[in-house]
Amino acid sequence: MNDVFSQQVGHIMWGISAASDIGSYSYVYGKFEKDQYKKITSWTRAAAMAGRTGGYIFAQLLILTHIGNYMTLNQMNLYILCIALVFCFLLPRVSWKQVVNNIAIEQSKKQAQKSHSPLPTSFSEYVLYRLKKLKSDFIKVYSNPFILKWSLWWAMAICMSYQVSLYAQTLLGQVQVGDDNPLNGFADAIYTFVATVFILLTNRFPINWDKWGETVLVVTSLLDAVFLALFSQTNSVYLMYFCYIFYRSCYQVMVTIAQWNIA
C-alpha cells in the first residue's frame, strides 16, 4: 500500500467518523427532553474535549520518550476505535416510544398552541409521522432567522476549522525543520483543555443569545481572522502555537454555543 493511498483511506475513515458525530448527538438528544439540551450539549462536548486532552498528552509523551512512534499511535488509534465500536452496541437503545413520549411532553408545555397533529401509536406510524414532519420542520426551522444565522455560521466555521487544522500542521512542519521533538501534541492538548473549561463556564451563565449572538459571532470571527493572519506570517513556533490555541479554542466554544442554540 503506497503512502498516498494510505492517506486517502485514512481521510475517508476520518470523514465517516466525523459524520457519525451527528448520529451520536441525535442519540443523546433522543434520550432527554428539549429543555435539557443546553446542559447535555455542553457536558458531552466538554467530555469529548477532555478526552482529546488526555489523548494528545499521552501521544506527545509517547513520542518524546521514544516509547513509540507515529505508527504506534496509528495502531493504538485503530484498537481504541474498535473498542469504542463495541461499546456503541452496548449502549441502551432509544425506543421510538421514548421519542414520541418526549414529543408529547414538549407539546403539553406549549399551552398557546391549540392543536397538535396526532402522535403515532406504532412504529410504522412513527416512520410516516417523521417523514411527513421533514418538510414542515425544514420550512419552519430555516425560515427562522435566528436558527439560520447560527446554522450558516456553523457550516462555514466547521469547514474553515478542518482546513486550518490540516494547514496548521503543514505550516508548523516548515518552521520546525530539523526539530526532532515538536510539541504540536501539547498545543492541541492545551486548546482542548481551554475549550473544556470555557464550554463548562458558558453553560453556567444565562446569556441572551438573541441579543448578543450576532455581536459575539462578529467579534469572535474578526479575532480569529487576525490570529490566523498572524499565524501564517510569523516564524516563531511559539507564537504560532498561541495563535493556533486561540483559534481552535474559540471554534470549539462557539460551535458548542451554536449547537445548543440550534437544538
Side-chain angles (χ1 to χ4, degrees), residues 97-131:
K97 293 182 180 179
Q98 183 176 354
V99 177
V100 171
N101 183 60
N102 289 343
I103 295 173
I105 293 173
E106 188 65 27
Q107 288 183 351
S108 66
K109 293 178 181 178
K110 297 179 179 179
Q111 301 295 336
Q113 192 169 344
K114 296 181 179 180
S115 62
H116 302 285
S117 56
L119 295 176
T121 56
S122 66
F123 181 72
S124 58
E125 290 181 5
Y126 173 74
V127 173
L128 292 174
Y129 174 83
R130 300 307 297 183
L131 290 174

PDB file of all heavy atoms in Angstrom, residues 97-131:
ATOM      1  N   LYS A  97     -40.845   4.847  21.076  1.00  0.00           N
ATOM      2  CA  LYS A  97     -41.873   5.236  22.040  1.00  0.00           C
ATOM      3  C   LYS A  97     -41.356   6.322  22.984  1.00  0.00           C
ATOM      4  O   LYS A  97     -42.102   7.216  23.382  1.00  0.00           O
ATOM      5  CB  LYS A  97     -42.325   4.019  22.841  1.00  0.00           C
ATOM      6  CG  LYS A  97     -43.072   2.980  22.013  1.00  0.00           C
ATOM      7  CD  LYS A  97     -43.524   1.818  22.876  1.00  0.00           C
ATOM      8  CE  LYS A  97     -44.275   0.778  22.046  1.00  0.00           C
ATOM      9  NZ  LYS A  97     -44.712  -0.375  22.868  1.00  0.00           N
ATOM     10  N   GLN A  98     -40.073   6.229  23.317  1.00  0.00           N
ATOM     11  CA  GLN A  98     -39.483   7.253  24.179  1.00  0.00           C
ATOM     12  C   GLN A  98     -39.432   8.593  23.459  1.00  0.00           C
ATOM     13  O   GLN A  98     -39.689   9.643  24.056  1.00  0.00           O
ATOM     14  CB  GLN A  98     -38.075   6.830  24.604  1.00  0.00           C
ATOM     15  CG  GLN A  98     -37.403   7.808  25.562  1.00  0.00           C
ATOM     16  CD  GLN A  98     -36.046   7.319  26.036  1.00  0.00           C
ATOM     17  OE1 GLN A  98     -35.645   6.196  25.748  1.00  0.00           O
ATOM     18  NE2 GLN A  98     -35.333   8.167  26.760  1.00  0.00           N
ATOM     19  N   VAL A  99     -39.106   8.557  22.163  1.00  0.00           N
ATOM     20  CA  VAL A  99     -39.080   9.793  21.374  1.00  0.00           C
ATOM     21  C   VAL A  99     -40.479  10.400  21.296  1.00  0.00           C
ATOM     22  O   VAL A  99     -40.663  11.614  21.451  1.00  0.00           O
ATOM     23  CB  VAL A  99     -38.527   9.517  19.960  1.00  0.00           C
ATOM     24  CG1 VAL A  99     -38.569  10.790  19.120  1.00  0.00           C
ATOM     25  CG2 VAL A  99     -37.103   8.980  20.033  1.00  0.00           C
ATOM     26  N   VAL A 100     -41.470   9.549  21.057  1.00  0.00           N
ATOM     27  CA  VAL A 100     -42.857  10.024  20.996  1.00  0.00           C
ATOM     28  C   VAL A 100     -43.272  10.612  22.338  1.00  0.00           C
ATOM     29  O   VAL A 100     -43.962  11.640  22.400  1.00  0.00           O
ATOM     30  CB  VAL A 100     -43.802   8.875  20.580  1.00  0.00           C
ATOM     31  CG1 VAL A 100     -45.261   9.304  20.722  1.00  0.00           C
ATOM     32  CG2 VAL A 100     -43.525   8.446  19.151  1.00  0.00           C
ATOM     33  N   ASN A 101     -42.848   9.976  23.406  1.00  0.00           N
ATOM     34  CA  ASN A 101     -43.172  10.480  24.744  1.00  0.00           C
ATOM     35  C   ASN A 101     -42.553  11.856  24.974  1.00  0.00           C
ATOM     36  O   ASN A 101     -43.190  12.755  25.548  1.00  0.00           O
ATOM     37  CB  ASN A 101     -42.674   9.492  25.794  1.00  0.00           C
ATOM     38  CG  ASN A 101     -43.035   9.922  27.208  1.00  0.00           C
ATOM     39  OD1 ASN A 101     -44.203  10.078  27.544  1.00  0.00           O
ATOM     40  ND2 ASN A 101     -42.025  10.128  28.030  1.00  0.00           N
ATOM     41  N   ASN A 102     -41.310  12.036  24.499  1.00  0.00           N
ATOM     42  CA  ASN A 102     -40.662  13.353  24.616  1.00  0.00           C
ATOM     43  C   ASN A 102     -41.410  14.407  23.805  1.00  0.00           C
ATOM     44  O   ASN A 102     -41.540  15.562  24.229  1.00  0.00           O
ATOM     45  CB  ASN A 102     -39.211  13.267  24.151  1.00  0.00           C
ATOM     46  CG  ASN A 102     -38.330  12.487  25.109  1.00  0.00           C
ATOM     47  OD1 ASN A 102     -38.688  12.273  26.260  1.00  0.00           O
ATOM     48  ND2 ASN A 102     -37.180  12.042  24.632  1.00  0.00           N
ATOM     49  N   ILE A 103     -41.895  14.002  22.626  1.00  0.00           N
ATOM     50  CA  ILE A 103     -42.676  14.930  21.797  1.00  0.00           C
ATOM     51  C   ILE A 103     -43.967  15.321  22.509  1.00  0.00           C
ATOM     52  O   ILE A 103     -44.375  16.489  22.508  1.00  0.00           O
ATOM     53  CB  ILE A 103     -42.988  14.292  20.426  1.00  0.00           C
ATOM     54  CG1 ILE A 103     -41.696  14.061  19.636  1.00  0.00           C
ATOM     55  CG2 ILE A 103     -43.936  15.183  19.622  1.00  0.00           C
ATOM     56  CD1 ILE A 103     -41.898  13.282  18.350  1.00  0.00           C
ATOM     57  N   ALA A 104     -44.607  14.335  23.128  1.00  0.00           N
ATOM     58  CA  ALA A 104     -45.858  14.600  23.850  1.00  0.00           C
ATOM     59  C   ALA A 104     -45.626  15.562  25.015  1.00  0.00           C
ATOM     60  O   ALA A 104     -46.434  16.470  25.259  1.00  0.00           O
ATOM     61  CB  ALA A 104     -46.447  13.285  24.354  1.00  0.00           C
ATOM     62  N   ILE A 105     -44.517  15.367  25.721  1.00  0.00           N
ATOM     63  CA  ILE A 105     -44.191  16.260  26.841  1.00  0.00           C
ATOM     64  C   ILE A 105     -43.948  17.678  26.339  1.00  0.00           C
ATOM     65  O   ILE A 105     -44.406  18.660  26.933  1.00  0.00           O
ATOM     66  CB  ILE A 105     -42.955  15.734  27.599  1.00  0.00           C
ATOM     67  CG1 ILE A 105     -43.281  14.408  28.289  1.00  0.00           C
ATOM     68  CG2 ILE A 105     -42.468  16.756  28.619  1.00  0.00           C
ATOM     69  CD1 ILE A 105     -42.087  13.730  28.920  1.00  0.00           C
ATOM     70  N   GLU A 106     -43.238  17.778  25.217  1.00  0.00           N
ATOM     71  CA  GLU A 106     -42.945  19.090  24.647  1.00  0.00           C
ATOM     72  C   GLU A 106     -44.226  19.781  24.192  1.00  0.00           C
ATOM     73  O   GLU A 106     -44.404  20.986  24.385  1.00  0.00           O
ATOM     74  CB  GLU A 106     -41.975  18.931  23.469  1.00  0.00           C
ATOM     75  CG  GLU A 106     -41.447  20.241  22.909  1.00  0.00           C
ATOM     76  CD  GLU A 106     -40.587  21.002  23.897  1.00  0.00           C
ATOM     77  OE1 GLU A 106     -39.982  20.367  24.780  1.00  0.00           O
ATOM     78  OE2 GLU A 106     -40.540  22.243  23.793  1.00  0.00           O
ATOM     79  N   GLN A 107     -45.136  19.020  23.599  1.00  0.00           N
ATOM     80  CA  GLN A 107     -46.401  19.597  23.151  1.00  0.00           C
ATOM     81  C   GLN A 107     -47.256  20.056  24.327  1.00  0.00           C
ATOM     82  O   GLN A 107     -47.938  21.072  24.251  1.00  0.00           O
ATOM     83  CB  GLN A 107     -47.170  18.575  22.306  1.00  0.00           C
ATOM     84  CG  GLN A 107     -46.576  18.334  20.931  1.00  0.00           C
ATOM     85  CD  GLN A 107     -47.400  17.374  20.093  1.00  0.00           C
ATOM     86  OE1 GLN A 107     -48.336  16.741  20.588  1.00  0.00           O
ATOM     87  NE2 GLN A 107     -47.051  17.241  18.826  1.00  0.00           N
ATOM     88  N   SER A 108     -47.210  19.308  25.410  1.00  0.00           N
ATOM     89  CA  SER A 108     -48.011  19.671  26.581  1.00  0.00           C
ATOM     90  C   SER A 108     -47.535  20.972  27.215  1.00  0.00           C
ATOM     91  O   SER A 108     -48.301  21.659  27.896  1.00  0.00           O
ATOM     92  CB  SER A 108     -47.968  18.547  27.614  1.00  0.00           C
ATOM     93  OG  SER A 108     -46.659  18.399  28.140  1.00  0.00           O
ATOM     94  N   LYS A 109     -46.260  21.316  26.985  1.00  0.00           N
ATOM     95  CA  LYS A 109     -45.716  22.551  27.547  1.00  0.00           C
ATOM     96  C   LYS A 109     -46.106  23.776  26.728  1.00  0.00           C
ATOM     97  O   LYS A 109     -46.019  24.903  27.210  1.00  0.00           O
ATOM     98  CB  LYS A 109     -44.191  22.460  27.639  1.00  0.00           C
ATOM     99  CG  LYS A 109     -43.695  21.421  28.639  1.00  0.00           C
ATOM    100  CD  LYS A 109     -42.183  21.358  28.647  1.00  0.00           C
ATOM    101  CE  LYS A 109     -41.686  20.308  29.636  1.00  0.00           C
ATOM    102  NZ  LYS A 109     -40.202  20.208  29.625  1.00  0.00           N
ATOM    103  N   LYS A 110     -46.504  23.541  25.473  1.00  0.00           N
ATOM    104  CA  LYS A 110     -46.879  24.653  24.597  1.00  0.00           C
ATOM    105  C   LYS A 110     -48.375  24.906  24.729  1.00  0.00           C
ATOM    106  O   LYS A 110     -49.184  24.466  23.918  1.00  0.00           O
ATOM    107  CB  LYS A 110     -46.503  24.336  23.146  1.00  0.00           C
ATOM    108  CG  LYS A 110     -44.999  24.172  22.938  1.00  0.00           C
ATOM    109  CD  LYS A 110     -44.677  23.842  21.491  1.00  0.00           C
ATOM    110  CE  LYS A 110     -43.184  23.692  21.280  1.00  0.00           C
ATOM    111  NZ  LYS A 110     -42.839  23.343  19.886  1.00  0.00           N
ATOM    112  N   GLN A 111     -48.727  25.604  25.766  1.00  0.00           N
ATOM    113  CA  GLN A 111     -50.137  25.846  26.055  1.00  0.00           C
ATOM    114  C   GLN A 111     -50.790  26.752  25.021  1.00  0.00           C
ATOM    115  O   GLN A 111     -51.999  26.672  24.776  1.00  0.00           O
ATOM    116  CB  GLN A 111     -50.269  26.477  27.449  1.00  0.00           C
ATOM    117  CG  GLN A 111     -49.699  25.629  28.568  1.00  0.00           C
ATOM    118  CD  GLN A 111     -50.451  24.327  28.757  1.00  0.00           C
ATOM    119  OE1 GLN A 111     -51.617  24.217  28.390  1.00  0.00           O
ATOM    120  NE2 GLN A 111     -49.778  23.332  29.309  1.00  0.00           N
ATOM    121  N   ALA A 112     -49.978  27.628  24.403  1.00  0.00           N
ATOM    122  CA  ALA A 112     -50.559  28.588  23.456  1.00  0.00           C
ATOM    123  C   ALA A 112     -51.007  27.923  22.165  1.00  0.00           C
ATOM    124  O   ALA A 112     -51.871  28.430  21.449  1.00  0.00           O
ATOM    125  CB  ALA A 112     -49.547  29.684  23.142  1.00  0.00           C
ATOM    126  N   GLN A 113     -50.403  26.797  21.854  1.00  0.00           N
ATOM    127  CA  GLN A 113     -50.759  26.107  20.613  1.00  0.00           C
ATOM    128  C   GLN A 113     -52.019  25.282  20.853  1.00  0.00           C
ATOM    129  O   GLN A 113     -52.057  24.417  21.719  1.00  0.00           O
ATOM    130  CB  GLN A 113     -49.605  25.207  20.166  1.00  0.00           C
ATOM    131  CG  GLN A 113     -49.772  24.684  18.754  1.00  0.00           C
ATOM    132  CD  GLN A 113     -48.498  24.014  18.262  1.00  0.00           C
ATOM    133  OE1 GLN A 113     -47.444  24.192  18.840  1.00  0.00           O
ATOM    134  NE2 GLN A 113     -48.619  23.253  17.201  1.00  0.00           N
ATOM    135  N   LYS A 114     -53.054  25.529  20.078  1.00  0.00           N
ATOM    136  CA  LYS A 114     -54.358  24.933  20.346  1.00  0.00           C
ATOM    137  C   LYS A 114     -54.448  23.480  19.914  1.00  0.00           C
ATOM    138  O   LYS A 114     -55.088  22.680  20.572  1.00  0.00           O
ATOM    139  CB  LYS A 114     -55.450  25.758  19.653  1.00  0.00           C
ATOM    140  CG  LYS A 114     -55.570  27.181  20.203  1.00  0.00           C
ATOM    141  CD  LYS A 114     -56.682  27.941  19.509  1.00  0.00           C
ATOM    142  CE  LYS A 114     -56.815  29.361  20.066  1.00  0.00           C
ATOM    143  NZ  LYS A 114     -57.889  30.124  19.400  1.00  0.00           N
ATOM    144  N   SER A 115     -53.852  23.149  18.797  1.00  0.00           N
ATOM    145  CA  SER A 115     -53.993  21.782  18.296  1.00  0.00           C
ATOM    146  C   SER A 115     -52.648  21.223  17.867  1.00  0.00           C
ATOM    147  O   SER A 115     -51.755  21.966  17.470  1.00  0.00           O
ATOM    148  CB  SER A 115     -54.963  21.747  17.106  1.00  0.00           C
ATOM    149  OG  SER A 115     -54.463  22.539  16.045  1.00  0.00           O
ATOM    150  N   HIS A 116     -52.536  19.909  17.950  1.00  0.00           N
ATOM    151  CA  HIS A 116     -51.329  19.215  17.539  1.00  0.00           C
ATOM    152  C   HIS A 116     -51.720  18.057  16.635  1.00  0.00           C
ATOM    153  O   HIS A 116     -52.826  17.509  16.737  1.00  0.00           O
ATOM    154  CB  HIS A 116     -50.567  18.664  18.752  1.00  0.00           C
ATOM    155  CG  HIS A 116     -50.178  19.722  19.747  1.00  0.00           C
ATOM    156  ND1 HIS A 116     -49.151  20.599  19.533  1.00  0.00           N
ATOM    157  CD2 HIS A 116     -50.695  20.028  20.964  1.00  0.00           C
ATOM    158  CE1 HIS A 116     -49.038  21.410  20.577  1.00  0.00           C
ATOM    159  NE2 HIS A 116     -49.967  21.079  21.459  1.00  0.00           N
ATOM    160  N   SER A 117     -50.798  17.689  15.766  1.00  0.00           N
ATOM    161  CA  SER A 117     -51.051  16.513  14.940  1.00  0.00           C
ATOM    162  C   SER A 117     -51.039  15.278  15.830  1.00  0.00           C
ATOM    163  O   SER A 117     -50.280  15.209  16.800  1.00  0.00           O
ATOM    164  CB  SER A 117     -49.981  16.390  13.856  1.00  0.00           C
ATOM    165  OG  SER A 117     -48.694  16.363  14.436  1.00  0.00           O
ATOM    166  N   PRO A 118     -51.882  14.292  15.533  1.00  0.00           N
ATOM    167  CA  PRO A 118     -51.947  13.094  16.389  1.00  0.00           C
ATOM    168  C   PRO A 118     -50.611  12.354  16.405  1.00  0.00           C
ATOM    169  O   PRO A 118     -49.954  12.207  15.376  1.00  0.00           O
ATOM    170  CB  PRO A 118     -53.050  12.260  15.732  1.00  0.00           C
ATOM    171  CG  PRO A 118     -53.149  12.770  14.328  1.00  0.00           C
ATOM    172  CD  PRO A 118     -52.804  14.224  14.395  1.00  0.00           C
ATOM    173  N   LEU A 119     -50.240  11.889  17.565  1.00  0.00           N
ATOM    174  CA  LEU A 119     -48.969  11.193  17.706  1.00  0.00           C
ATOM    175  C   LEU A 119     -49.106   9.732  17.296  1.00  0.00           C
ATOM    176  O   LEU A 119     -50.173   9.128  17.457  1.00  0.00           O
ATOM    177  CB  LEU A 119     -48.486  11.286  19.155  1.00  0.00           C
ATOM    178  CG  LEU A 119     -48.140  12.698  19.641  1.00  0.00           C
ATOM    179  CD1 LEU A 119     -47.759  12.673  21.115  1.00  0.00           C
ATOM    180  CD2 LEU A 119     -47.011  13.295  18.815  1.00  0.00           C
ATOM    181  N   PRO A 120     -48.043   9.140  16.762  1.00  0.00           N
ATOM    182  CA  PRO A 120     -48.108   7.742  16.308  1.00  0.00           C
ATOM    183  C   PRO A 120     -48.243   6.770  17.474  1.00  0.00           C
ATOM    184  O   PRO A 120     -47.766   7.028  18.580  1.00  0.00           O
ATOM    185  CB  PRO A 120     -46.773   7.556  15.580  1.00  0.00           C
ATOM    186  CG  PRO A 120     -45.863   8.576  16.172  1.00  0.00           C
ATOM    187  CD  PRO A 120     -46.720   9.750  16.515  1.00  0.00           C
ATOM    188  N   THR A 121     -48.873   5.655  17.185  1.00  0.00           N
ATOM    189  CA  THR A 121     -49.054   4.615  18.208  1.00  0.00           C
ATOM    190  C   THR A 121     -48.361   3.313  17.832  1.00  0.00           C
ATOM    191  O   THR A 121     -48.382   2.358  18.603  1.00  0.00           O
ATOM    192  CB  THR A 121     -50.555   4.340  18.418  1.00  0.00           C
ATOM    193  OG1 THR A 121     -51.145   3.975  17.157  1.00  0.00           O
ATOM    194  CG2 THR A 121     -51.259   5.577  18.967  1.00  0.00           C
ATOM    195  N   SER A 122     -47.757   3.262  16.639  1.00  0.00           N
ATOM    196  CA  SER A 122     -46.998   2.081  16.220  1.00  0.00           C
ATOM    197  C   SER A 122     -45.741   2.553  15.492  1.00  0.00           C
ATOM    198  O   SER A 122     -45.626   3.727  15.117  1.00  0.00           O
ATOM    199  CB  SER A 122     -47.838   1.189  15.298  1.00  0.00           C
ATOM    200  OG  SER A 122     -48.105   1.850  14.074  1.00  0.00           O
ATOM    201  N   PHE A 123     -44.811   1.625  15.291  1.00  0.00           N
ATOM    202  CA  PHE A 123     -43.551   2.005  14.661  1.00  0.00           C
ATOM    203  C   PHE A 123     -43.759   2.463  13.220  1.00  0.00           C
ATOM    204  O   PHE A 123     -43.140   3.434  12.772  1.00  0.00           O
ATOM    205  CB  PHE A 123     -42.568   0.832  14.693  1.00  0.00           C
ATOM    206  CG  PHE A 123     -41.233   1.154  14.070  1.00  0.00           C
ATOM    207  CD1 PHE A 123     -40.336   1.998  14.705  1.00  0.00           C
ATOM    208  CD2 PHE A 123     -40.882   0.632  12.829  1.00  0.00           C
ATOM    209  CE1 PHE A 123     -39.109   2.317  14.129  1.00  0.00           C
ATOM    210  CE2 PHE A 123     -39.661   0.942  12.248  1.00  0.00           C
ATOM    211  CZ  PHE A 123     -38.775   1.782  12.904  1.00  0.00           C
ATOM    212  N   SER A 124     -44.639   1.785  12.484  1.00  0.00           N
ATOM    213  CA  SER A 124     -44.896   2.185  11.097  1.00  0.00           C
ATOM    214  C   SER A 124     -45.511   3.582  11.044  1.00  0.00           C
ATOM    215  O   SER A 124     -45.157   4.399  10.180  1.00  0.00           O
ATOM    216  CB  SER A 124     -45.817   1.169  10.415  1.00  0.00           C
ATOM    217  OG  SER A 124     -47.041   1.057  11.115  1.00  0.00           O
ATOM    218  N   GLU A 125     -46.412   3.861  11.977  1.00  0.00           N
ATOM    219  CA  GLU A 125     -46.995   5.200  12.043  1.00  0.00           C
ATOM    220  C   GLU A 125     -45.929   6.229  12.418  1.00  0.00           C
ATOM    221  O   GLU A 125     -45.954   7.367  11.931  1.00  0.00           O
ATOM    222  CB  GLU A 125     -48.127   5.235  13.072  1.00  0.00           C
ATOM    223  CG  GLU A 125     -49.372   4.472  12.650  1.00  0.00           C
ATOM    224  CD  GLU A 125     -50.467   4.569  13.695  1.00  0.00           C
ATOM    225  OE1 GLU A 125     -50.283   5.313  14.690  1.00  0.00           O
ATOM    226  OE2 GLU A 125     -51.503   3.906  13.529  1.00  0.00           O
ATOM    227  N   TYR A 126     -44.997   5.814  13.269  1.00  0.00           N
ATOM    228  CA  TYR A 126     -43.921   6.720  13.676  1.00  0.00           C
ATOM    229  C   TYR A 126     -43.036   7.090  12.485  1.00  0.00           C
ATOM    230  O   TYR A 126     -42.661   8.255  12.313  1.00  0.00           O
ATOM    231  CB  TYR A 126     -43.084   6.070  14.778  1.00  0.00           C
ATOM    232  CG  TYR A 126     -41.851   6.843  15.145  1.00  0.00           C
ATOM    233  CD1 TYR A 126     -41.935   8.023  15.884  1.00  0.00           C
ATOM    234  CD2 TYR A 126     -40.591   6.404  14.738  1.00  0.00           C
ATOM    235  CE1 TYR A 126     -40.798   8.744  16.212  1.00  0.00           C
ATOM    236  CE2 TYR A 126     -39.450   7.118  15.066  1.00  0.00           C
ATOM    237  CZ  TYR A 126     -39.559   8.285  15.801  1.00  0.00           C
ATOM    238  OH  TYR A 126     -38.428   9.000  16.115  1.00  0.00           O
ATOM    239  N   VAL A 127     -42.714   6.098  11.650  1.00  0.00           N
ATOM    240  CA  VAL A 127     -41.888   6.358  10.466  1.00  0.00           C
ATOM    241  C   VAL A 127     -42.595   7.340   9.533  1.00  0.00           C
ATOM    242  O   VAL A 127     -41.997   8.310   9.043  1.00  0.00           O
ATOM    243  CB  VAL A 127     -41.571   5.041   9.725  1.00  0.00           C
ATOM    244  CG1 VAL A 127     -40.862   5.333   8.403  1.00  0.00           C
ATOM    245  CG2 VAL A 127     -40.711   4.131  10.594  1.00  0.00           C
ATOM    246  N   LEU A 128     -43.881   7.109   9.288  1.00  0.00           N
ATOM    247  CA  LEU A 128     -44.651   8.015   8.431  1.00  0.00           C
ATOM    248  C   LEU A 128     -44.755   9.403   9.052  1.00  0.00           C
ATOM    249  O   LEU A 128     -44.687  10.422   8.345  1.00  0.00           O
ATOM    250  CB  LEU A 128     -46.054   7.438   8.189  1.00  0.00           C
ATOM    251  CG  LEU A 128     -46.121   6.157   7.342  1.00  0.00           C
ATOM    252  CD1 LEU A 128     -47.549   5.624   7.306  1.00  0.00           C
ATOM    253  CD2 LEU A 128     -45.615   6.425   5.927  1.00  0.00           C
ATOM    254  N   TYR A 129     -44.910   9.432  10.356  1.00  0.00           N
ATOM    255  CA  TYR A 129     -45.002  10.707  11.075  1.00  0.00           C
ATOM    256  C   TYR A 129     -43.730  11.526  10.886  1.00  0.00           C
ATOM    257  O   TYR A 129     -43.786  12.729  10.609  1.00  0.00           O
ATOM    258  CB  TYR A 129     -45.252  10.424  12.555  1.00  0.00           C
ATOM    259  CG  TYR A 129     -45.237  11.643  13.446  1.00  0.00           C
ATOM    260  CD1 TYR A 129     -46.363  12.447  13.580  1.00  0.00           C
ATOM    261  CD2 TYR A 129     -44.088  11.981  14.170  1.00  0.00           C
ATOM    262  CE1 TYR A 129     -46.354  13.556  14.408  1.00  0.00           C
ATOM    263  CE2 TYR A 129     -44.066  13.089  14.992  1.00  0.00           C
ATOM    264  CZ  TYR A 129     -45.200  13.877  15.110  1.00  0.00           C
ATOM    265  OH  TYR A 129     -45.181  14.979  15.927  1.00  0.00           O
ATOM    266  N   ARG A 130     -42.573  10.864  11.013  1.00  0.00           N
ATOM    267  CA  ARG A 130     -41.303  11.575  10.867  1.00  0.00           C
ATOM    268  C   ARG A 130     -41.088  12.034   9.429  1.00  0.00           C
ATOM    269  O   ARG A 130     -40.558  13.126   9.187  1.00  0.00           O
ATOM    270  CB  ARG A 130     -40.141  10.680  11.301  1.00  0.00           C
ATOM    271  CG  ARG A 130     -40.192  10.203  12.739  1.00  0.00           C
ATOM    272  CD  ARG A 130     -40.347  11.328  13.733  1.00  0.00           C
ATOM    273  NE  ARG A 130     -39.227  12.258  13.724  1.00  0.00           N
ATOM    274  CZ  ARG A 130     -39.108  13.288  14.551  1.00  0.00           C
ATOM    275  NH1 ARG A 130     -40.065  13.539  15.435  1.00  0.00           N
ATOM    276  NH2 ARG A 130     -38.068  14.075  14.490  1.00  0.00           N
ATOM    277  N   LEU A 131     -41.488  11.213   8.464  1.00  0.00           N
ATOM    278  CA  LEU A 131     -41.333  11.595   7.060  1.00  0.00           C
ATOM    279  C   LEU A 131     -42.195  12.809   6.720  1.00  0.00           C
ATOM    280  O   LEU A 131     -41.759  13.714   5.998  1.00  0.00           O
ATOM    281  CB  LEU A 131     -41.702  10.413   6.154  1.00  0.00           C
ATOM    282  CG  LEU A 131     -40.726   9.230   6.159  1.00  0.00           C
ATOM    283  CD1 LEU A 131     -41.283   8.076   5.330  1.00  0.00           C
ATOM    284  CD2 LEU A 131     -39.357   9.654   5.613  1.00  0.00           C
TER     285      LEU A 131
END
